[in-house]
Amino acid sequence: MSKGLFITLEGGEGAGKSTNLAFVQQWLQRAGREVQVTREPGGTELGERVREILLHRRDLQMSPESEMLLMFAARAEHIVKIIAPALAADKVVLCDRFTDATYAYQGGGRGIPPDRIAVIEDWVQGDLRPDLTLLLDVPVAAGRQRAGQRSEPDRFERENNEFFMRVRATYLARAASEPGRVRVIDASQGLEKVQRQIAMVLEEVVRDR
Ligand code: T5A
């Protein structure tokens, strides 16, 4: 049986995903695992081009449905080229965002019904789902303040607080409905405390797998 493990990192703006990704990677490597780090949207040549359109092409208007389908187009390529082969080679795939982000941003944020997202999820992913999702949770105002230090906001970062409150609520609802897979990390604390929480979850979930 494959020992591959699929771990995703999720959270709203300024939650600290990039900051903590390296910590998770190092933890896994110290535990003797081979790690494939990747991200969404992105991870492949096509995916990175789609990411550029989704995040940085301010001149392009798109409907919520087009936005969602572009996320899944990038994801389909990502699964075939990167994720599935790495899992088949018994690696740990550590992915910065995955389909929970589609439910949170295109579902909660843009208002696409979750059952419509689920249809595409099943079609594109088959039975592929993350084994573990670390949801870095921070109140919207605090997260936006952290993210606000960055110079040029992307297309999502220009949305208003209500949008990000819906995103956060959707993430938390998903965590409540799948508590075994989605572990909520209180990311409003200092970095040391955040990483202590992450290490405890990794210890519990990953150590023996
Ligand atoms: N998207 C994505 C969708 O809409 N649908 C989808 O299906 C998918 C896959 C992707 C965008 O695409 C959307 C969601 C996103 O808007 P992204 O690059 O993944 O973009 O998203 P960002 O939210 O911009 O992610 P980052 O990882 O770049 O930023 P974060 O999570 O905001 O984190 P980070 O680490 O850069 O931290 C921000 C600042 O906070 C500080 C850091 O030092 C940094 O300055 N910080 C802390 N400060 C104090 N205490 C802590 N505990 C701290 N943790 C971090």
Side-chain angles (χ1 to χ4, degrees):
M1 206 166 77
S2 167
K3 291 198 292 291
L5 200 59
F6 186 21
I7 301 179
T8 60
L9 271 174
E10 298 280 0
E13 311 300 296
K17 286 182 302 88
S18 298
T19 308
N20 289 297
L21 191 83
F23 174 80
V24 175
Q25 181 181 8
Q26 280 166 17
W27 192 99
L28 291 164
Q29 286 168 338
R30 274 196 222 109
R33 305 300 296 252
E34 199 177 340
V35 186
Q36 170 84 52
V37 176
T38 188
R39 69 173 179 180
E40 290 210 350
T44 64
E45 192 181 345
L46 176 71
E48 291 297 327
R49 290 195 196 189
V50 172
R51 180 185 179 93
E52 175 65 23
I53 292 170
L54 283 164
L55 268 62
H56 302 301
R57 289 290 301 272
R58 289 195 216 180
D59 52 319
L60 277 177
Q61 299 291 317
M62 68 182 85
S63 68
E65 288 77 13
S66 306
E67 186 178 274
M68 178 188 75
L69 291 168
L70 282 170
M71 293 290 177
F72 273 111
R75 184 163 298 137
E77 190 75 1
H78 195 200
I79 291 169
V80 169
K81 295 253 173 74
I82 306 289
I83 298 174
L87 292 175
D90 292 346
K91 294 181 186 174
V92 179
V93 173
L94 177 56
C95 191
D96 189 343
R97 296 195 189 278
F98 194 63
T99 307
D100 289 300
T102 310
Y103 282 97
Y105 284 77
Q106 283 66 52
R110 304 276 192 233
I112 296 181
D115 55 350
R116 201 167 294 175
I117 299 174
V119 171
I120 314 288
E121 179 184 32
D122 288 343
W123 180 54
V124 168
Q125 295 173 215
D127 59 5
L128 176 72
R129 299 290 184 277
D131 297 296
L132 170 66
T133 296
L134 296 165
L135 172 56
L136 298 171
D137 178 57
V138 67
V140 170
R144 298 202 85 186
Q145 198 175 4
R146 286 183 192 165
Q149 320 290 340
R150 288 192 280 244
S151 51
E152 184 67 11
D154 65 35
R155 215 167 55 80
F156 292 100
E157 287 164 347
R158 282 193 285 271
E159 293 295 336
N160 60 27
N161 278 352
E162 286 67 35
F163 177 91
F164 289 109
M165 284 175 185
R166 294 195 299 276
V167 167
R168 184 183 185 209
T170 306
Y171 269 135
L172 290 173
R174 289 181 69 71
S177 70
E178 286 185 74
R181 174 180 72 86
V182 185
R183 299 301 188 90
V184 182
I185 305 294
D186 178 1
S188 65
Q189 301 190 338
L191 200 53
E192 205 175 306
K193 285 189 178 165
V194 171
Q195 294 183 342
R196 213 173 302 151
Q197 295 173 65
I198 292 174
M200 279 173 65
V201 173
L202 291 174
E203 194 67 52
E204 179 197 329
V205 177
V206 179
R207 190 57 88 182
D208 296 325
R209 294 188 56 163

